Amino acid sequence: MIRSTKKALITGITGQDGAYLAEFLLGKGYEVHGIKRRTSLFNTDRIDHLYHDRHEAGLPFYLHHGDMTDSSSLIRIIQQVQPDELYNLAAQSHVAVSFEEPEYTADSDALGVLRLLEAIRILGLEKKTRFYQASTSELYGLVQETPQRETTPFYPRSPYAIAKIAGIEMCWAYNRQYGTQFLAVMPTNLYGPGDNYHPENSHVIPALIRRFHEAKINGSPTVTVWGSGRPRREFMYSDDMARACVFLMNLPDEKFLPLLGQDRNDGLPPIVNIGVGEDVTIRELAQMIAEVVGYEGEIVFDTTKPDGTPRKRLDVSRLALMGWQASTGLKAGLANVYADFAR
């Protein structure tokens, strides 16, 4: 196998998706650099198996201290690394927290993107560095059509979603003004090993895995799930997300550049939906998780709790036409996540 000598820089590398992406890129022969905030607590559990002392032989994997709210650190790191690909996965991504800390959310998720784009421009890397902006299907908010296409109008309902829209618009503006290579992607709901299983602030899959596991261990006769169970959601395994990222960033120029909206005026922003193109009801999801966990009690749906949006599923036909599709089935992915949780 011919090994790549490309350099990739990842923000948000200590997160679930960043760790998956780092490992995947290393397997492809990349030199991988990550940006980590200075904190009083160690939060590198997801990447500890990749890290090595730079004075010892090992994987070409390096961490740099920086912050999305500090331009000087971002410019310094990008200048030092000279990345061929920059993956921006860093964000304050909790919707509820974005209402509690809207200013910080805007600073990190909107202005943070601007700082990276400006660093690339100031350092003269517009033609060298391809930039990947991770967005979110939260932008569609109260969805206006199903499935959600790249042209579906945004209906943001949180400071987090609004900040993410600003990031997309800045990518588009820079592409048109400077001929840069900044692409935003719209992933569906992600899950995978190394997720956040906290009982109060985790997403639906890790929350249900923990709930059913504890019910099995404690012998509880019932598990309560919020809502009617009728809403439909789409879920994609994090490993598939990493593969899709690298696939898009390595498209040849004749396929990549038309995605960026540099010269067109058709109103289509530089966005590509990433998902599996299939959805399940929350009831079906709960039943599948119960089966994977081995819980044999009754599942009760609390209809006094809100259901949220009736259906969220992305139209991934554009990505499919480029030659990529997800490969991990939901049940197989859930089994991997439960094995990780139960370790």
Side-chain angles (χ1 to χ4, degrees):
M1 181 181 71
I2 298 175
R3 296 185 66 82
S4 168
T5 55
K6 287 185 176 180
K7 291 183 181 181
L9 176 62
I10 304 172
T11 71
I13 197 166
T14 58
Q16 178 188 7
D17 301 329
Y20 266 95
L21 178 59
E23 188 161 9
F24 185 77
L25 287 169
L26 287 167
K28 290 287 186 181
Y30 278 68
E31 179 179 311
V32 177
H33 297 254
I35 298 179
K36 177 189 178 300
R37 285 187 301 165
R38 289 190 185 273
T39 62
S40 58
L41 299 174
F42 291 105
N43 62 340
T44 58
D45 292 354
R46 295 184 177 101
I47 56 173
D48 281 344
H49 64 293
L50 302 176
Y51 186 75
H52 69 281
D53 189 295
R54 65 178 61 234
H55 301 294
E56 300 175 0
L59 292 172
F61 178 70
Y62 309 98
L63 292 179
H64 307 261
H65 285 112
D67 196 295
M68 293 294 287
T69 64
D70 180 61
S71 297
S72 60
S73 66
L74 298 177
I75 292 173
R76 170 180 53 80
I77 294 167
I78 294 172
Q79 183 178 39
Q80 177 182 346
V81 175
Q82 298 279 307
D84 299 288
E85 299 163 17
L86 199 167
Y87 296 85
N88 182 31
L89 308 184
Q92 188 304 99
S93 59
H94 200 286
V95 173
V97 172
S98 77
F99 282 101
E100 297 169 358
E101 302 178 12
E103 185 176 343
Y104 173 74
T105 300
D107 195 12
S108 59
D109 295 6
L111 292 180
V113 177
L114 179 61
R115 293 180 183 106
L116 291 172
L117 304 189
E118 270 293 276
I120 291 171
R121 187 187 69 82
I122 290 169
L123 295 171
L125 300 175
E126 302 100 316
K127 304 303 180 185
K128 172 181 173 63
T129 302
R130 288 187 174 186
F131 179 83
Y132 176 103
Q133 169 62 17
S135 195
T136 169
S137 57
E138 285 290 329
L139 274 59
Y140 295 121
L142 185 61
V143 296
Q144 304 299 291
E145 61 179 352
T146 299
Q148 291 84 57
R149 302 173 175 83
E150 285 89 351
T151 55
T152 299
F154 295 147
Y155 201 120
R157 308 189 78 183
S158 68
Y160 166 58
I162 293 169
K164 282 293 191 178
I165 290 174
I168 292 174
E169 292 292 343
M170 282 185 281
C171 287
W172 198 10
Y174 272 65
N175 288 346
R176 288 178 292 187
Q177 182 68 24
Y178 301 115
T180 46
Q181 304 178 76
F182 302 158
L183 178 67
V185 299
M186 195 76 74
T188 191
N189 301 300
L190 301 175
Y191 73 99
D195 213 329
N196 169 27
Y197 303 99
H198 193 280
E200 294 181 6
N201 58 22
S202 56
H203 297 294
V204 60
I205 285 180
L208 288 179
I209 283 177
R210 178 172 184 146
R211 198 174 303 172
F212 280 110
H213 174 79
E214 292 179 347
K216 182 181 77 168
I217 297 301
N218 297 328
S220 302
T222 63
V223 169
T224 300
V225 178
W226 278 21
S228 67
R230 290 191 295 270
R232 303 186 68 89
R233 295 291 185 269
E234 177 184 20
F235 300 97
M236 185 169 71
Y237 196 58
S238 289
D239 187 59
D240 282 336
M241 179 62 186
R243 292 193 306 107
C245 290
V246 179
F247 172 83
L248 286 169
M249 293 290 271
N250 282 274
L251 287 171
D253 284 347
E254 61 268 21
K255 293 185 178 180
F256 185 75
L257 295 179
L259 300 176
L260 306 179
Q262 292 176 340
D263 301 315
R264 66 170 188 257
N265 191 29
D266 57 8
L268 180 63
I271 298 175
V272 176
N273 284 343
I274 298 181
V276 299
E278 300 175 355
D279 55 11
V280 296
T281 66
I282 297 300
R283 180 182 294 273
E284 291 168 336
L285 176 67
Q287 292 169 340
M288 199 178 298
I289 291 175
E291 183 178 345
V292 166
V293 170
Y295 176 75
E296 298 180 350
E298 181 184 4
I299 304 174
V300 177
F301 291 89
D302 183 356
T303 57
T304 67
K305 303 298 184 183
D307 271 341
T309 303
R311 191 175 192 185
K312 289 180 71 176
R313 175 170 63 88
L314 298 182
D315 179 347
V316 295
S317 58
R318 191 180 185 199
L319 183 59
L321 287 172
M322 298 179 208
W324 189 91
Q325 63 181 10
S327 62
T328 307
L330 181 57
K331 191 168 184 179
L334 291 174
N336 291 339
V337 176
Y338 182 57
D340 169 71
F341 174 80
R343 280 189 305 172

